[in-house]
Amino acid sequence: MVETSGTTIVAADHPSLDDQVAQFVTALRDEPRFFGPSARSNPKPFPSLLSELQQRDGFRLAAMVDGRVVGLVRVSGSGDVHIAVVAERRGQRIGVGLLSAAIERAGRLDHRRLTLRSSQGSRAVRRLGDALGCTTVGYARGRVDLILPVPRHVNAASA
Ligand SMILES: CC(C)(COP(=O)(O)OP(=O)(O)OC[C@H]1O[C@@H](n2cnc3c(N)ncnc32)[C@H](O)[C@@H]1OP(=O)(O)O)[C@@H](O)C(=O)NCCC(=O)NCCS
């Protein structure tokens, strides 16, 4: 468990958190969708992201504030990352905190790198990757993969 400025990061797969995780996914699903340039750079979570966040392959970490899940990251067994924060808590460093915790946990599980797949338009995702030293790989139709290194010392420390 990691705690920073009122946000606690916990393992999300304990059954006691199932209701909280379900409420979190509902909040993301009910988010209003906006249109125009600002919406393109701040896209609403896609249904495919919600589906990925609900799967249990790999591991999941949740960011909790006042007993409520406000952010969730899932790292699949193959090292793919899916992450979301509820709309009213974005821009408060919760995403960076969750992703940092996921990288640390991934190191203990012997991952060497994680991959976050995104549309090129999401400024938040790109900034998130930049904050954690990612390499960006661009593909057709504006899609990008952010490759997040898992530091070797993290792997070595848990060996
Ligand atoms: C992507 C997401 C998880 C980021 O979480 P967050 O808690 O808002 O991010 P943080 O507050 O930790 O910010 C991380 C960086 O992104 C920047 N950022 C956050 N939101 C931003 C926005 N809307 N526009 C531009 N930059 C933004 C922050 O300034 C910060 O950059 P910095 O380190 O240079 O200051 C969140 O925006 C989200 O849930 N988006 C919808 C779902 C999604 O797109 N998920 C990713 C698909 S896998």
Side-chain angles (χ1 to χ4, degrees), residues 73-93:
V73 61
R74 171 174 163 250
V75 175
S76 75
S78 57
D80 285 330
V81 179
H82 303 278
I83 183 169
V85 172
V86 288
E88 71 271 21
R89 292 277 178 181
R90 288 180 195 149
Q92 298 176 13
R93 315 285 302 169

Side-chain angles (χ1 to χ4, degrees), residues 28 31 41-46 49 81-86 89-97 116-118 122-128 130-131:
L28 293 180
E31 215 177 277
S41 56
N42 294 293
K44 169 182 158 71
F46 293 125
L49 172 61
V81 179
H82 303 278
I83 183 169
V85 172
V86 288
R89 292 277 178 181
R90 288 180 195 149
Q92 298 176 13
R93 315 285 302 169
I94 292 173
V96 165
L116 199 161
R117 301 177 201 281
S118 171
S122 174
R123 275 188 297 150
V125 169
R126 292 176 74 86
R127 292 290 291 275
L128 198 58
D130 289 348

Side-chain angles (χ1 to χ4, degrees), residues 15-55:
S16 65
L17 277 184
D18 283 355
D19 284 352
Q20 280 290 334
V21 170
Q23 285 173 32
F24 167 79
V25 171
T26 300
L28 293 180
R29 187 175 290 126
D30 291 348
E31 215 177 277
R33 185 170 175 204
F34 299 105
F35 296 91
S38 139
R40 271 199 293 281
S41 56
N42 294 293
K44 169 182 158 71
F46 293 125
S48 55
L49 172 61
L50 302 187
S51 161
E52 289 287 353
L53 286 171
Q54 290 175 91
Q55 291 176 37

Side-chain angles (χ1 to χ4, degrees), residues 9 17-18 87 98 113 146 155:
I9 295 180
L17 277 184
D18 283 355
L98 265 178
R113 73 174 77 87
L146 307 185
N155 292 299

